[in-house]
Amino acid sequence: MLSKRIIACLDVRDGSVVKGVQFEGLGHAGDPVSLARRYNVEGIDELVVLDVTATLESRRALVTTIQAVAAELFIPLAVGGGIRSADDAAAVIDAGADKISLNSAALADPGLLTALARRYGSQAVVVAIDAKRDGARYAVFARSGTAAAGRDAVEWAREAEARGAGEILLTSIDRDGTRAGFECHLTAAVSGAVQIPVIASGGAGTFEHFEDVFTRGRADAALAASIFHFAEHSVADLKTWLAGRGIPVRAVQSAPAPEGRRAC
Amino acid sequence: MRVALVDYGAGNLTSVRKALRACGADVFTPDRPEGLTAADAVVIPGVGHFAATAVLDAAWRAAVCAAVASGRALLGICLGQQWLFEGSSEAPDVPGLGLLHGRCAHLREMAEEAGAGPAGAPGPSSDGLKVPHVGWNDLAATRPSDLLLGLAPGSQAYFTHAYAAPMTSATVATTTHGARFASAVQQGRICGVQFHPEKSGDVGLRVLANFLRQAGER
């Protein structure tokens, strides 16, 4: 059976991992390569590297970070933050990213999703949607949650799929970094409206939150940062717990260096 | 071990090249079909639409078939595996290489044909089958093979695709997503995987190492 994916997010600024609360107040959480290495041993299914400042200097550091992470990990790697053009996308793909995540640039020019899907395939194009509750609906925000995009999250998810996005990385701005649980109403609404996988993000705090978003929230994958970075919970412990609750997850590899790796 | 990685413009080859190198291969990308004669093994990668394989014209097809006839090992990955079959309903007018019997089809077509129905997938969010099939799924071996040698039962690999190959005598592992399909095939030295070994962690590296080992036994 298709496993529910557990994805670790590395918010990177100038080559270091940082993590904020509700998109503000970034604090240091470590070196991206050593974190990525640890998660890989623990059985993470995928990594997302987000360049959270995306200044010119930061972008050069990002390429170096992607190369270093991709050099030793053989699992899917998505990269986002500040990708505004086909050239930006090519730079991170050439550095070793398997997927590119587009947010503000896709809102400004939805045709960029189509252009990148034609060039790299839909499986390489992730649309990142940052949404905030607005009454009974969810409003989309651009520019790291600072600018209302005037779009409804469900409606934008449908359009992004039609334009060529292969996955949706759906973040609840209200829950980001709060560890109060995923916004399951949001993920269920979007997941039910599209055919492509939905990655839930924002609010992971306990193992129960993951079970909740995979069942009630109808998410295909769940992404977290804080609870993994500070080693409060290992990915392996989370997966073992989820498996015990009947959620299909990829079994954790038993040893850090299995026989197959050494045979290479 | 000289491995020819065939670039026909269907997706990014960086990860496949990196994984083959990590397994000890000397990887090169021939720009002409004649380049395959310098290879000990041939790898056809690829993601995307089956129509993209039309770039592999008569000269390429002849070169790949000649490499196989001379005993070189061949591995098709994802779209590359589908191309080893006779064709695909994704692009009915584009012929596959035809080294393997059968035609590829959309996962929904396969599910409907099997009678499971598109909403037959069980699970916590069973509101309907999501296609494309994206993520980690089980490899169920159907018979022992060199390609999957040493994989632990319950091993999972990373998939991203909407079309798949049918189960035939060449199948060595199956995976189920709505329908059961051939996730790994081997017929002599002709191998294929629907999953992405370059993105499947230690399981994937083991499969690539197995392929290279048998390719070296020529």
Side-chain angles (χ1 to χ4, degrees), chain A residues 72-95:
Chain A
E72 54 182 281
L73 295 192
F74 296 92
I75 57 172
L77 172 64
V79 175
I83 295 175
R84 311 225 171 279
S85 65
D87 287 347
D88 290 343
V92 297
I93 292 250
D94 290 346

Side-chain angles (χ1 to χ4, degrees), chain A residues 1 3 70 74 99 195 220, chain B residues 18 108 130 138 156 158 201:
Chain A
M1 189 189 294
S3 292
F74 296 92
K99 307 179 186 183
Q195 276 290 310
D220 302 286
Chain B
K18 191 176 57 128
R108 272 185 206 290
K130 282 200 173 180
D138 303 310
Q156 292 202 330
Y158 185 79

Side-chain angles (χ1 to χ4, degrees), chain A residues 32-81:
Chain A
V33 177
S34 48
L35 272 174
R37 196 180 291 143
R38 192 184 95 210
Y39 296 153
N40 188 46
V41 169
E42 290 178 1
I44 201 75
D45 296 315
E46 192 161 332
L47 279 173
V48 174
V49 170
L50 285 180
D51 180 11
V52 293
T53 52
T55 59
L56 196 60
E57 301 76 48
S58 174
R59 297 206 63 73
R60 289 198 197 98
L62 180 70
V63 165
T64 309
T65 299
I66 298 164
Q67 285 169 336
V69 170
E72 54 182 281
L73 295 192
F74 296 92
I75 57 172
L77 172 64
V79 175

